[in-house]
Amino acid sequence: MTTTQRPVPTRPLGTTGPAVSALGLGCMGMSALYGESDRAESIATIHAALEAGVTLLDTGDFYGMGHNELLIAEALRSAPAAAREQALTSVKFGALRTVEGGFTGYDGRPAAVRNFAAYSLQRLGTDHIDIYRIARVDPDVPIEETVGAIAELVEAGHVRHIGLSEVGADTLRRAAAVAPIADLQIEYSLISRSIEEKILPTARELGIGITAYGVLSRGLISGHFTRDRELAPGDFRGMSPRFQGENLQRNLDLVDRLRALAEAKGVTVAQTAIAWVLAQGERQGADIVPLIGARRRDRLVEALGALDVTLDAADLAAIEEAVPAGAAAGERYPAAQMAHLDSER
């Protein structure tokens, strides 16, 4: 494992999608689900990411009920013109919310797709969305209808590329038969590797890229999460099985094993975990783009350092011995949310 100095490289999102930075910025935590956030620091972090060469900004119209899209719009308006022009927006839609913040399902009807897009375009202050995807498959609407509606938005110029999120291999094939799919956004990390069996090979067969979220498992394998940490009110990790009781202790045992490898090489745990995901894409033509959920500039700088980490075959073998596939304790979501995942069926 060595470190080098290099600019942020780019990777294609599949065979039909745009070229994007090799790391994307996931902006959800700047608005929701991880407790309170700092608006000024969030905007400064987006600016710093753009300045560093990160071009892909990932959001959802339901993150903070539109707050996240408005935040990104504000950050882009105040960014230098050159950085603003390079930025690409990836937007998820479809989640139904309550006033209290609960989730009640997903709506993938064509009329709803058009409605969600209209509101996102207004909040983002733009005339197009670069990649548009339903956050979870609506079980009451065939994926062909949902994707067909996005394809109509592409034809009208309101959307540039179609993406998917958390779908299984069969659904991926059905969607790709309707229209070109740029990428599949799905959880992928050292402790979430279920896509390797069917979903990732299918995506590669179809020429569909992967944008991997949860590469640090919501901070669990970042090296910063302590055994006695108390989560803030509103932090959804308080309900996540992997952060509960004995599960948490077992998972942090895995992190300690990863830490020993990282420290021996002079890099951080987070950089090692991100570099591992990057390396999985490099094995097959750079087809995986990790999304980093940095909410602060210092965390962004650390994450970008993963681009300077080179993992050789011995490094990868040691990492996978320390954190074997399937070693995580607990599911990645509570049972009610797992039920919405087409990718887990």
mmCIF file of all heavy atoms in Angstrom, residues 217-238:
data_model
loop_
_atom_site.group_PDB
_atom_site.id
_atom_site.type_symbol
_atom_site.label_atom_id
_atom_site.label_comp_id
_atom_site.label_asym_id
_atom_site.label_seq_id
_atom_site.Cartn_x
_atom_site.Cartn_y
_atom_site.Cartn_z
ATOM 1 N N SER A 217 -20.245 2.523 5.746
ATOM 2 C CA SER A 217 -21.366 1.974 6.517
ATOM 3 C C SER A 217 -21.880 2.971 7.537
ATOM 4 O O SER A 217 -22.022 2.671 8.719
ATOM 5 C CB SER A 217 -20.947 0.660 7.207
ATOM 6 O OG SER A 217 -22.071 -0.063 7.640
ATOM 7 N N ARG A 218 -22.173 4.179 7.045
ATOM 8 C CA ARG A 218 -22.728 5.257 7.865
ATOM 9 C C ARG A 218 -21.826 5.605 9.048
ATOM 10 O O ARG A 218 -22.271 5.919 10.139
ATOM 11 C CB ARG A 218 -24.135 4.879 8.345
ATOM 12 C CG ARG A 218 -25.100 4.658 7.180
ATOM 13 C CD ARG A 218 -26.290 3.792 7.549
ATOM 14 N NE ARG A 218 -27.073 3.498 6.350
ATOM 15 C CZ ARG A 218 -26.774 2.502 5.498
ATOM 16 N NH1 ARG A 218 -25.733 1.715 5.718
ATOM 17 N NH2 ARG A 218 -27.505 2.310 4.423
ATOM 18 N N GLY A 219 -20.530 5.555 8.780
ATOM 19 C CA GLY A 219 -19.544 5.904 9.798
ATOM 20 C C GLY A 219 -19.066 4.740 10.626
ATOM 21 O O GLY A 219 -18.078 4.857 11.358
ATOM 22 N N LEU A 220 -19.748 3.594 10.536
ATOM 23 C CA LEU A 220 -19.415 2.450 11.373
ATOM 24 C C LEU A 220 -17.983 1.978 11.143
ATOM 25 O O LEU A 220 -17.272 1.625 12.094
ATOM 26 C CB LEU A 220 -20.396 1.310 11.107
ATOM 27 C CG LEU A 220 -20.213 0.029 11.921
ATOM 28 C CD1 LEU A 220 -20.326 0.317 13.418
ATOM 29 C CD2 LEU A 220 -21.245 -1.013 11.509
ATOM 30 N N ILE A 221 -17.530 1.960 9.882
ATOM 31 C CA ILE A 221 -16.174 1.496 9.590
ATOM 32 C C ILE A 221 -15.273 2.657 9.164
ATOM 33 O O ILE A 221 -14.302 2.458 8.441
ATOM 34 C CB ILE A 221 -16.175 0.369 8.534
ATOM 35 C CG1 ILE A 221 -16.809 0.827 7.212
ATOM 36 C CG2 ILE A 221 -16.903 -0.860 9.056
ATOM 37 C CD1 ILE A 221 -16.639 -0.204 6.084
ATOM 38 N N SER A 222 -15.590 3.847 9.654
ATOM 39 C CA SER A 222 -14.779 5.029 9.339
ATOM 40 C C SER A 222 -13.535 5.133 10.205
ATOM 41 O O SER A 222 -12.609 5.878 9.888
ATOM 42 C CB SER A 222 -15.612 6.295 9.528
ATOM 43 O OG SER A 222 -15.917 6.483 10.906
ATOM 44 N N GLY A 223 -13.535 4.408 11.334
ATOM 45 C CA GLY A 223 -12.454 4.550 12.283
ATOM 46 C C GLY A 223 -12.699 5.626 13.312
ATOM 47 O O GLY A 223 -11.910 5.803 14.243
ATOM 48 N N HIS A 224 -13.811 6.345 13.171
ATOM 49 C CA HIS A 224 -14.127 7.446 14.078
ATOM 50 C C HIS A 224 -15.255 7.103 15.054
ATOM 51 O O HIS A 224 -15.512 7.868 15.983
ATOM 52 C CB HIS A 224 -14.525 8.693 13.283
ATOM 53 C CG HIS A 224 -13.452 9.177 12.358
ATOM 54 N ND1 HIS A 224 -12.232 9.614 12.800
ATOM 55 C CD2 HIS A 224 -13.416 9.280 10.991
ATOM 56 C CE1 HIS A 224 -11.488 9.970 11.767
ATOM 57 N NE2 HIS A 224 -12.183 9.770 10.656
ATOM 58 N N PHE A 225 -15.949 5.997 14.826
ATOM 59 C CA PHE A 225 -17.091 5.649 15.666
ATOM 60 C C PHE A 225 -16.593 4.884 16.885
ATOM 61 O O PHE A 225 -16.000 3.808 16.760
ATOM 62 C CB PHE A 225 -18.107 4.807 14.890
ATOM 63 C CG PHE A 225 -19.494 4.863 15.460
ATOM 64 C CD1 PHE A 225 -20.425 5.756 14.964
ATOM 65 C CD2 PHE A 225 -19.859 4.032 16.514
ATOM 66 C CE1 PHE A 225 -21.707 5.821 15.494
ATOM 67 C CE2 PHE A 225 -21.127 4.093 17.056
ATOM 68 C CZ PHE A 225 -22.057 4.988 16.549
ATOM 69 N N THR A 226 -16.847 5.395 18.073
ATOM 70 C CA THR A 226 -16.355 4.778 19.308
ATOM 71 C C THR A 226 -17.409 3.874 19.931
ATOM 72 O O THR A 226 -18.608 4.011 19.669
ATOM 73 C CB THR A 226 -15.948 5.856 20.322
ATOM 74 O OG1 THR A 226 -17.092 6.667 20.631
ATOM 75 C CG2 THR A 226 -14.843 6.734 19.759
ATOM 76 N N ARG A 227 -16.952 2.972 20.783
ATOM 77 C CA ARG A 227 -17.841 1.989 21.393
ATOM 78 C C ARG A 227 -18.845 2.611 22.359
ATOM 79 O O ARG A 227 -19.925 2.066 22.573
ATOM 80 C CB ARG A 227 -17.017 0.923 22.120
ATOM 81 C CG ARG A 227 -16.181 0.078 21.170
ATOM 82 C CD ARG A 227 -15.334 -0.946 21.903
ATOM 83 N NE ARG A 227 -14.436 -1.626 20.968
ATOM 84 C CZ ARG A 227 -14.738 -2.733 20.296
ATOM 85 N NH1 ARG A 227 -15.918 -3.298 20.466
ATOM 86 N NH2 ARG A 227 -13.872 -3.274 19.465
ATOM 87 N N ASP A 228 -18.506 3.749 22.932
ATOM 88 C CA ASP A 228 -19.397 4.385 23.911
ATOM 89 C C ASP A 228 -20.097 5.625 23.368
ATOM 90 O O ASP A 228 -20.652 6.407 24.125
ATOM 91 C CB ASP A 228 -18.610 4.761 25.171
ATOM 92 C CG ASP A 228 -17.462 5.731 24.870
ATOM 93 O OD1 ASP A 228 -17.190 5.985 23.678
ATOM 94 O OD2 ASP A 228 -16.833 6.213 25.829
ATOM 95 N N ARG A 229 -20.104 5.803 22.066
ATOM 96 C CA ARG A 229 -20.692 7.006 21.477
ATOM 97 C C ARG A 229 -22.200 7.047 21.686
ATOM 98 O O ARG A 229 -22.890 6.036 21.484
ATOM 99 C CB ARG A 229 -20.384 7.073 19.981
ATOM 100 C CG ARG A 229 -20.985 8.283 19.280
ATOM 101 C CD ARG A 229 -20.474 8.382 17.874
ATOM 102 N NE ARG A 229 -21.149 9.414 17.110
ATOM 103 C CZ ARG A 229 -20.859 9.719 15.844
ATOM 104 N NH1 ARG A 229 -19.889 9.066 15.218
ATOM 105 N NH2 ARG A 229 -21.518 10.666 15.214
ATOM 106 N N GLU A 230 -22.695 8.208 22.061
ATOM 107 C CA GLU A 230 -24.136 8.424 22.180
ATOM 108 C C GLU A 230 -24.614 9.203 20.969
ATOM 109 O O GLU A 230 -24.106 10.289 20.692
ATOM 110 C CB GLU A 230 -24.456 9.190 23.476
ATOM 111 C CG GLU A 230 -24.158 8.398 24.735
ATOM 112 C CD GLU A 230 -24.631 9.117 25.986
ATOM 113 O OE1 GLU A 230 -25.304 10.162 25.859
ATOM 114 O OE2 GLU A 230 -24.329 8.631 27.084
ATOM 115 N N LEU A 231 -25.581 8.642 20.264
ATOM 116 C CA LEU A 231 -26.076 9.266 19.047
ATOM 117 C C LEU A 231 -27.036 10.400 19.372
ATOM 118 O O LEU A 231 -27.803 10.334 20.334
ATOM 119 C CB LEU A 231 -26.769 8.231 18.162
ATOM 120 C CG LEU A 231 -25.843 7.128 17.634
ATOM 121 C CD1 LEU A 231 -26.660 6.029 16.968
ATOM 122 C CD2 LEU A 231 -24.824 7.708 16.644
ATOM 123 N N ALA A 232 -27.008 11.443 18.536
ATOM 124 C CA ALA A 232 -27.873 12.598 18.748
ATOM 125 C C ALA A 232 -29.323 12.246 18.425
ATOM 126 O O ALA A 232 -29.591 11.325 17.637
ATOM 127 C CB ALA A 232 -27.416 13.757 17.863
ATOM 128 N N PRO A 233 -30.274 12.966 19.018
ATOM 129 C CA PRO A 233 -31.683 12.760 18.657
ATOM 130 C C PRO A 233 -31.888 12.947 17.147
ATOM 131 O O PRO A 233 -31.320 13.863 16.550
ATOM 132 C CB PRO A 233 -32.415 13.842 19.459
ATOM 133 C CG PRO A 233 -31.504 14.132 20.609
ATOM 134 C CD PRO A 233 -30.113 13.990 20.069
ATOM 135 N N GLY A 234 -32.657 12.070 16.544
ATOM 136 C CA GLY A 234 -32.908 12.167 15.111
ATOM 137 C C GLY A 234 -31.899 11.427 14.261
ATOM 138 O O GLY A 234 -32.070 11.346 13.044
ATOM 139 N N ASP A 235 -30.854 10.876 14.859
ATOM 140 C CA ASP A 235 -29.862 10.103 14.116
ATOM 141 C C ASP A 235 -30.419 8.703 13.894
ATOM 142 O O ASP A 235 -30.618 7.946 14.848
ATOM 143 C CB ASP A 235 -28.554 10.055 14.902
ATOM 144 C CG ASP A 235 -27.393 9.496 14.085
ATOM 145 O OD1 ASP A 235 -27.623 8.553 13.290
ATOM 146 O OD2 ASP A 235 -26.261 9.991 14.244
ATOM 147 N N PHE A 236 -30.672 8.358 12.638
ATOM 148 C CA PHE A 236 -31.358 7.098 12.357
ATOM 149 C C PHE A 236 -30.500 5.878 12.671
ATOM 150 O O PHE A 236 -31.016 4.751 12.738
ATOM 151 C CB PHE A 236 -31.848 7.070 10.906
ATOM 152 C CG PHE A 236 -30.875 6.482 9.916
ATOM 153 C CD1 PHE A 236 -31.092 5.226 9.382
ATOM 154 C CD2 PHE A 236 -29.745 7.183 9.512
ATOM 155 C CE1 PHE A 236 -30.201 4.678 8.460
ATOM 156 C CE2 PHE A 236 -28.859 6.645 8.599
ATOM 157 C CZ PHE A 236 -29.083 5.391 8.081
ATOM 158 N N ARG A 237 -29.210 6.082 12.902
ATOM 159 C CA ARG A 237 -28.372 4.947 13.280
ATOM 160 C C ARG A 237 -28.797 4.362 14.628
ATOM 161 O O ARG A 237 -28.456 3.204 14.928
ATOM 162 C CB ARG A 237 -26.902 5.371 13.313
ATOM 163 C CG ARG A 237 -26.347 5.652 11.924
ATOM 164 C CD ARG A 237 -24.950 6.197 11.969
ATOM 165 N NE ARG A 237 -24.910 7.546 12.557
ATOM 166 C CZ ARG A 237 -23.831 8.312 12.568
ATOM 167 N NH1 ARG A 237 -22.692 7.873 12.041
ATOM 168 N NH2 ARG A 237 -23.871 9.522 13.101
ATOM 169 N N GLY A 238 -29.548 5.149 15.393
ATOM 170 C CA GLY A 238 -30.064 4.641 16.651
ATOM 171 C C GLY A 238 -31.024 3.486 16.468
ATOM 172 O O GLY A 238 -31.300 2.738 17.418
#
